[in-house]
Amino acid sequence: MRRQSQLAEALADARRRTDELFTLLVPDAFYDRPIPERHRNIFYLGHLEAFDWNLICRRTLDLPSFHPEFDKLFEFGIDPPAGRLPEDQPKDWPSVDEVKRYNTHVRQAVSRALTSGDVPEQLWRVAIEHRLMHAETFAYMLHNLPADRKIEPPGVAARILGPPVSRAMIEVPAGGATLGRRRGNGFGWDNEFDEHTVDVPAFAIDNYKVTNGDYLEFVKAGADPPHFWVRRGDEWLQRTMFGHAPLPLTWPVYVTQQLASSYAAWIGKSLPTEPQFHRAAYLPALTPAFTPTRTPARTPDPTSRDCKERFPDAGNYNFDHWNPVPVNAHAPGQMLGNGWEWTSTVFQPFPGFEPFPFYPGYSANFFDGDHYVLKGASARTAACFLRPSFRNWFRPDYPYVYAGFRCVEN
Ligand SMILES: [Fe+2]
């Protein structure tokens, strides 16, 4: 019973997160397509409920479909290879009211399924985390809608200023990095299994993420600007969630993996591998310079409910802000939050990988050598994804992710 009410609460919380995003749209923006490689906004309104319906009610409980056309239309998102963009038109999609009616019906059925206790907890976790992932990826999409297509909620002030960033490389001694997750030890997605240890030679890593200010030097030397920058006259501006701002030099630069790799090579360094990120982020205090000073322990569990209350320095994640904060707003040892971090590791299965039988394509569809692992979290990442085993992945030229990087010396 207790478990059931926890799941109900987590599902309600995840729904609040995604419902909030749709309230930011002006009414006719449901048919806009903010990112050319993705569906129109209306797809996401139907997708979140269609996913729950298909997984929980249709496939698990074998309930008869009340709207087979929508179950299929809203089933899957898209990730087309370069040069192959979707061509559908607004008139190809149903009305917002029709989709909302479908959603109401699904939520009622899903609530009944939850009360029945007939659905394994693993599937509820999949539904909840799937929705929370979209709470972030749909925020990337809305970021790319022009400001006049969105309604800015009250109290959004981008935190632009901060003291200058003092740069240092932190030495990480050789040792083992434990990746993945032990089976039977709580929920994880298929690609998080199995747990295994990798030997990592000694290396040094940036104390803070690379900033807009750092990257500006690279652009002045002729490099491509990030998608998150906009040129106005002689000036660079930052695309923030609700408009453009003068380029905040101490914010992490959000760039593609390709641009991040080029920058690292330009200064004679590299991107970290996935095991290197683990060594740096999850080891106990590496050096006094890499230990949060305001927290009694270096690694309070960032996924715990009260982490933010107990550790004000815990980082910019769990929907804290709509934008990044300066890289030095939190102590240098706090690697999680304020932007995912690109690695040089191609997304591949861990030894012992088995796809979920009820969602076989979740990871396996992306083991194509053209997706790279990201670790960490952004301001719009739910706390549960800060567990060490969680892996995110995108194409190396996908420019819309809240993702930056730091460099390593090997
Ligand atoms: Fe999805």
Side-chain angles (χ1 to χ4, degrees):
M1 236 13 222
R2 194 172 127 69
R3 183 50 28 150
Q4 221 177 76
S5 64
Q6 281 173 352
L7 288 170
E9 204 181 311
L11 180 61
D13 185 53
R15 283 176 174 169
R16 269 194 297 279
R17 297 293 182 194
T18 50
D19 288 349
E20 176 192 21
L21 290 171
F22 293 104
T23 68
L24 302 180
L25 290 173
V26 300
D28 63 331
F30 276 92
Y31 297 87
D32 290 7
R33 189 200 303 279
I35 293 184
E37 293 91 338
R38 294 289 183 259
H39 276 312
R40 296 173 190 280
N41 294 329
I42 184 79
F43 168 81
Y44 296 90
L45 184 67
H47 173 63
L48 295 166
E49 309 313 323
F51 183 91
D52 292 357
W53 168 265
N54 285 326
L55 177 73
I56 305 277
C57 300
R58 196 159 66 84
R59 295 212 190 86
T60 307
L61 299 176
D62 209 18
L63 298 180
S65 178
F66 67 96
H67 205 319
E69 189 197 331
F70 280 12
D71 298 349
K72 198 160 165 39
L73 179 67
F74 293 115
E75 189 165 20
F76 294 117
I78 46 173
D79 177 30
R84 296 239 308 265
L85 297 179
E87 290 172 354
D88 57 274
Q89 298 302 314
K91 64 171 170 44
D92 301 331
W93 293 91
S95 73
V96 172
D97 282 345
E98 273 176 283
V99 180
K100 284 186 172 167
R101 272 198 298 279
Y102 173 82
N103 289 352
T104 305
H105 195 128
V106 170
R107 286 195 182 185
Q108 285 163 353
V110 166
S111 296
R112 279 194 298 275
L114 188 57
T115 325
S116 76
D118 295 337
V119 178
E121 179 177 343
Q122 185 192 38
L123 296 185
W124 288 113
R125 293 283 165 208
V126 164
I128 292 163
E129 293 204 359
H130 169 262
R131 183 177 289 271
L132 289 170
M133 284 176 204
H134 278 290
E136 175 163 11
T137 54
F138 194 57
Y140 304 158
M141 295 193 50
L142 297 190
H143 207 109
N144 286 282
L145 266 187
D148 62 1
R149 309 294 284 157
K150 285 176 279 197
I151 302 157
E152 182 175 338
V156 180
R159 184 170 161 193
I160 302 279
L161 298 171
V165 177
S166 55
R167 288 254 152 240
M169 298 292 283
I170 305 300
E171 300 289 335
V172 182
T178 302
L179 278 68
R181 218 176 160 74
R182 232 173 332 116
R183 288 192 195 272
N185 184 28
F187 177 75
W189 291 86
D190 56 0
N191 66 64
E192 293 175 56
F193 298 99
D194 284 343
E195 186 178 87
H196 60 292
T197 300
V198 181
D199 285 329
V200 184
F203 65 100
I205 189 164
D206 283 339
N207 57 347
Y208 293 115
K209 291 188 225 297
V210 173
T211 62
N212 279 332
D214 299 327
Y215 194 87
L216 184 60
E217 297 305 314
F218 189 37
V219 172
K220 285 180 183 163
D224 287 341
H227 170 76
F228 279 85
W229 295 8
V230 179
R231 187 82 179 171
R232 192 172 62 191
D234 300 338
E235 224 193 341
W236 287 109
L237 304 178
Q238 172 97 21
R239 265 178 226 271
T240 74
M241 184 58 153
F242 296 102
H244 297 162
L247 194 66
L249 296 178
T250 59
W251 281 15
V253 66
Y254 286 170
V255 280
T256 63
Q257 201 262 4
Q258 286 172 346
L259 292 181
S261 306
S262 311
Y263 174 88
W266 183 65
I267 57 165
K269 297 180 184 177
S270 331
L271 290 186
T273 61
E274 185 178 12
Q276 283 177 327
F277 185 95
H278 271 260
R279 284 287 292 167
Y282 304 116
L283 269 184
L286 285 169
T287 70
F290 211 58
T291 308
T293 48
R294 278 176 282 157
T295 57
R298 175 169 185 278
T299 49
D301 177 4
T303 66
S304 69
R305 268 184 159 252
D306 60 348
C307 183
K308 286 291 179 77
E309 288 113 73
R310 287 165 58 216
F311 304 101
D313 198 27
N316 179 17
Y317 66 89
N318 205 36
F319 312 102
D320 272 4
H321 298 281
W322 288 104
N323 291 297
V325 295
V327 295
N328 52 358
H330 298 101
Q334 176 43 270
M335 282 182 63
L336 310 179
N338 207 26
W340 290 90
E341 297 192 21
W342 287 109
T343 73
S344 59
T345 300
V346 173
F347 184 53
Q348 289 294 333
F350 286 157
F353 168 81
E354 283 170 32
F356 284 159
F358 50 84
Y359 194 174
Y362 172 71
S363 306
N365 287 356
F366 302 94
F367 296 145
D368 56 3
D370 196 31
H371 289 79
Y372 284 80
V373 174
L374 300 97
K375 296 291 290 183
S378 84
R380 308 306 300 174
T381 306
C384 58
F385 299 126
L386 274 74
R387 59 179 181 261
S389 56
F390 188 78
R391 311 168 81 200
N392 197 353
W393 64 92
F394 278 98
R395 290 188 193 275
D397 58 350
Y398 191 67
Y400 310 110
V401 192
Y402 296 148
F405 66 107
R406 60 185 90 207
C407 299
V408 297
E409 272 171 348
N410 292 304

